[in-house]
Amino acid sequence: MQEILRKAIAEASGSRGDFLVAPLEDLSRGDYYTNAALVLAKVEGKDPRVLAEELRTKLEGLGIEGVESIEAAGPGFLNFRLKRSFFSGEIKKIAKAGKEFGKGEAYTGKKVIVEYTDPNPFKEIHIGHLMSNTIGESVARLHEWSGADLKRACYQGDVGLQIAKAIKGMMLLERPENASLQEQVAYLGRAYAAGSAAYEEGAAEEIKALNKKIYERSDEDVNQLYDWGRKASLDHFETIYKKLGTKFNLYFFESETGVFGRELVREFVGRGVFEESDGAVIYRGEKHGLHTRVFINSEGLPTYEAKELGLAKTKHDRFPYDLSVVLTGNEVNEYFKVLLSAMREVYPELAEKTKHIGHGMLRLTTGKMSSRTGNVISAESLIAEVTESVLARMTEFDGSPEEKEKTAEMVAIAAIKHTILRQAPGKDIIFDPAQALSLEGDSGPYLQYALVRTKTLLAKAAEVGETPTLENIPSEAADVERLLHRFPQILARSAADLAPQHVVTYITEVASAFNAFYAGTRVIGNPHVGYYLALTQAVGVVLENGLSVLGIPTPERM
């Protein structure tokens, strides 16, 4: 409908200027509004209220399909109210489309790669990785729903000083025999903490030498420790990805991209992009209003920036993308600006295709976590703790113990993911379990519960022989009904803006409006029961599809 209105306004005004057509938040005033008259008034030097009336008259003369009335409002806005038949027609469309409702074509024919999570082997996936995974998975799904040929990528730091510290710790701590995967990972966490402590207590040079051996794979004993730890870490990561609903298509490792990145940087030293300085190779970002970064250190090893430069080309070689989205923590935002600046000189076409999303930290009420000291809050432990809280509340759940446990974990993951996705990615988030698990308002479980309520109502109606129909349509559309057709537009906007929070806001409005409808309307036994059940079914489709786009699981009952 937005595009229909935009074309009609452009035709009536004789302008294709940059005017806005957007949904109205206050449904009592209509369904859409435009600021076209305000935009034209600036160009033509006229009173916007007068122009709004003139534009209203022209638009009414066009007889826009689906529009019931047009009203001039405020300082020069136009509000559009849609016909009753439009909304009932949308209910029919939603029922027919089902799980496909909301899918678009904005990225059809485009190759998109989204890189996210990026945990380092030898360390646990901590709650900070939940930020990257949750946002990245939703951004990936948004582009899939927009028609993209999409690949999920995970880039992991399997070389570097942090790995050398872990190997040093493994040399200090006895490795457990016949240990479970969980025990192996816990051991690696202790080893990393021990190695970090050793580095600060006098073993820095030894660990730096160990770091070089790992890069060169020149010591068989070191290689054995490294290969064991790397495999244990990667196997464990897969169990977390499965729990979170992520399945990566492509894996990249610093041990691969670092070698190529170092060669690439050295190749461009003589071309004025990089320069040697005190035995290192640097990029002087000041010429672009940035700062100087080291790309190869004085020991001849590639830094984060060189590896990322190599990664961009390696990704493109394996999957020639039209868009590459990279998620990192905010702490590397400034590094990434320098990287993109260098990339514009080395691979300008790839820099143009690269979009970076910096995300904030996920904090608990106890503050920030630290893996250096071993005081790390793992993603697994947070999910387990929230799951236990959910189980304690499920006193009336009558399913099997296995179903109860599974449902509790789904609710816990919804609580965590919703907390992360409800605001723009760049801000820090404090996870408050009480708020995140509330069924009274803005939370993941609240959205899940609204969806379950649609299923319960439909099931109860079926028991008494009532089914959804598009007959005996009530004269007025319910507020929730007037929201449903906006879903495809919301998804398209969210994909374009790389902003899952738009979807969260929208489906929360849908859930709230449905709950108000449910509380104020006796559906079974109502003269319009068949249509109200069709409306309930459509609400369920939108909520389920919306939660799916966000990567939030949908239980059958709660």
Side-chain angles (χ1 to χ4, degrees):
M1 177 52 71
Q2 270 180 294
E3 193 55 35
I4 291 172
L5 292 173
R6 179 173 291 280
K7 288 179 180 178
I9 294 165
E11 180 182 344
S13 64
S15 168
R16 297 189 179 274
D18 191 20
F19 57 83
L20 178 70
V21 178
L24 275 163
E25 291 185 16
D26 183 357
L27 293 175
S28 68
R29 292 162 51 206
D31 297 290
Y32 287 92
Y33 76 94
T34 182
N35 66 346
L38 290 165
V39 173
L40 288 170
K42 290 181 180 179
V43 176
E44 299 182 13
K46 294 183 178 179
D47 184 337
R49 291 183 181 84
V50 173
L51 275 177
E53 282 295 339
E54 291 176 0
L55 189 53
R56 182 185 64 80
T57 301
K58 290 179 181 179
L59 287 167
E60 287 179 342
L62 292 176
I64 307 170
E65 183 180 358
V67 174
E68 180 180 276
S69 63
I70 308 170
E71 178 187 4
F77 293 105
L78 288 178
N79 294 344
F80 299 84
R81 186 175 296 277
L82 303 182
K83 292 179 179 178
R84 178 69 185 86
S85 59
F86 172 82
F87 298 113
S88 54
E90 288 298 305
I91 297 297
K92 184 176 181 179
K93 287 182 184 178
I94 295 170
K96 183 177 180 180
K99 291 184 181 298
E100 300 296 304
F101 182 65
K103 291 190 174 179
E105 300 179 348
Y107 285 86
T108 298
K110 301 289 186 182
K111 294 182 182 293
V112 178
I113 186 169
V114 183
E115 178 212 320
Y116 56 104
T117 311
D118 298 353
N120 292 331
F122 296 85
K123 296 169 72 175
E124 290 184 290
I125 291 185
H126 56 64
I127 62 173
H129 292 116
L130 285 176
M131 291 283 285
S132 178
N133 181 272
T134 298
I135 299 166
E137 180 63 30
S138 186
V139 167
R141 293 185 183 208
L142 280 166
H143 284 83
E144 281 181 323
W145 278 66
S146 297
D149 177 4
L150 185 123
K151 300 292 184 187
R152 292 166 171 81
C154 188
Y155 176 52
Q156 294 164 102
D158 61 341
V159 290
L161 196 59
Q162 78 279 3
I163 306 297
K165 290 177 181 178
I167 298 295
K168 173 60 178 176
M170 292 173 72
M171 292 173 173
L172 296 172
L173 303 178
E174 184 178 353
R175 203 189 328 168
E177 297 293 334
N178 302 317
S180 67
L181 185 58
Q182 192 71 36
E183 290 168 335
Q184 292 174 35
V185 171
Y187 164 75
L188 290 175
R190 294 194 301 272
Y192 179 74
S196 295
Y199 184 88
E200 295 180 1
E201 293 168 6
E205 293 306 315
E206 178 191 349
I207 292 173
K208 287 178 183 178
L210 193 57
N211 187 31
K212 196 165 186 179
K213 288 179 181 179
I214 294 169
Y215 265 102
E216 297 169 349
R217 290 191 65 83
S218 58
D219 186 307
E220 195 56 42
D221 291 336
V222 171
N223 291 347
Q224 187 179 21
L225 291 174
Y226 173 84
D227 292 342
W228 182 90
R230 184 179 188 271
K231 183 180 186 305
S233 290
L234 298 181
D235 288 348
H236 182 245
F237 292 166
E238 291 301 322
T239 68
I240 308 295
Y241 301 150
K242 184 177 181 180
K243 196 183 294 282
L244 294 171
T246 294
K247 187 171 179 58
F248 289 107
N249 311 103
L250 299 171
Y251 293 89
F252 300 92
F253 296 94
E254 287 189 14
S255 56
E256 302 164 347
T257 63
V259 174
F260 175 56
R262 178 170 55 186
E263 293 172 354
L264 190 63
V265 170
R266 292 205 179 280
E267 179 185 342
F268 278 82
V269 167
R271 303 189 191 182
V273 179
F274 304 101
E275 62 182 79
E276 294 185 355
S277 175
D278 297 327
V281 178
I282 64 172
Y283 178 82
R284 293 203 182 276
E286 284 83 0
K287 58 186 176 181
H288 299 291
L290 301 168
H291 64 282
T292 294
R293 297 295 307 172
V294 175
F295 275 64
I296 300 177
N297 66 24
S298 58
E299 296 174 354
L301 299 178
T303 63
Y304 164 86
E305 291 83 358
K307 293 169 189 173
E308 285 284 341
L309 193 60
L311 175 63
K313 182 64 165 61
T314 303
K315 280 184 189 174
H316 195 266
D317 287 345
R318 289 178 64 180
F319 184 67
Y321 52 78
D322 298 292
L323 172 64
S324 173
V325 181
V326 181
L327 281 95
T328 71
N330 283 342
E331 63 269 19
V332 299
N333 284 358
E334 295 306 310
Y335 301 176
F336 216 91
K337 290 177 184 177
V338 176
L339 167 67
L340 285 174
S341 180
M343 198 187 300
R344 289 186 191 98
E345 298 190 59
V346 177
Y347 293 125
E349 70 286 357
L350 299 187
E352 190 65 29
K353 297 175 180 179
T354 302
K355 301 291 183 185
H356 174 242
I357 299 176
H359 62 77
M361 296 296 297
L362 180 63
R363 303 174 188 272
L364 304 185
T365 51
T366 53
K368 185 177 178 179
M369 67 284 177
S370 170
S371 60
R372 183 185 63 80
T373 62
N375 182 29
V376 62
I377 302 169
S378 71
E380 250 187 329
S381 66
L382 178 62
I383 294 170
E385 185 177 325
V386 179
T387 300
E388 285 300 316
S389 296
V390 176
L391 283 168
R393 300 177 184 211
M394 295 174 67
T395 54
E396 299 180 9
F397 191 85
D398 60 357
S400 67
E402 292 77 15
E403 184 186 1
K404 185 176 182 180
E405 178 75 31
K406 182 180 178 181
T407 301
E409 186 173 273
M410 293 170 81
V411 172
I413 288 172
I416 295 167
K417 287 194 172 191
H418 180 275
T419 301
I420 292 169
L421 293 172
R422 63 195 290 267
Q423 65 181 37
K427 300 176 182 177
D428 287 356
I429 292 170
I430 296 178
F431 180 74
D432 179 350
Q435 179 182 346
L437 290 173
S438 172
L439 292 178
E440 302 301 322
D442 190 9
S443 74
Y446 173 79
L447 298 175
Q448 289 176 316
Y449 189 67
L451 172 59
V452 168
R453 179 170 273 174
T454 67
K455 296 178 180 181
T456 301
L457 177 56
L458 291 167
K460 286 181 178 178
E463 289 174 2
V464 296
E466 298 288 1
T467 57
T469 70
L470 293 176
E471 300 172 359
N472 198 16
I473 299 171
S475 58
E476 294 292 328
D479 282 354
V480 66
E481 187 176 353
R482 292 168 64 188
L483 292 172
L484 299 181
H485 73 283
R486 298 178 180 182
F487 185 51
Q489 304 159 25
I490 296 293
L491 292 191
R493 178 189 169 201
S494 297
D497 294 349
L498 304 176
Q501 69 269 18
H502 298 329
V503 181
V504 176
T505 300
Y506 166 75
I507 62 173
T508 301
E509 289 174 358
V510 170
S512 178
F514 174 71
N515 285 335
F517 165 79
Y518 184 87
T521 308
R522 180 173 60 90
V523 175
I524 299 174
N526 191 293
H528 305 294
V529 58
Y531 187 79
Y532 284 153
L533 291 175
L535 170 59
T536 299
Q537 190 175 54
V539 170
V541 167
V542 169
L543 288 176
E544 189 155 14
N545 291 359
L547 288 168
S548 177
V549 168
L550 296 173
I552 292 177
T554 52
E556 288 299 312
R557 54 182 177 160
M558 291 172 66

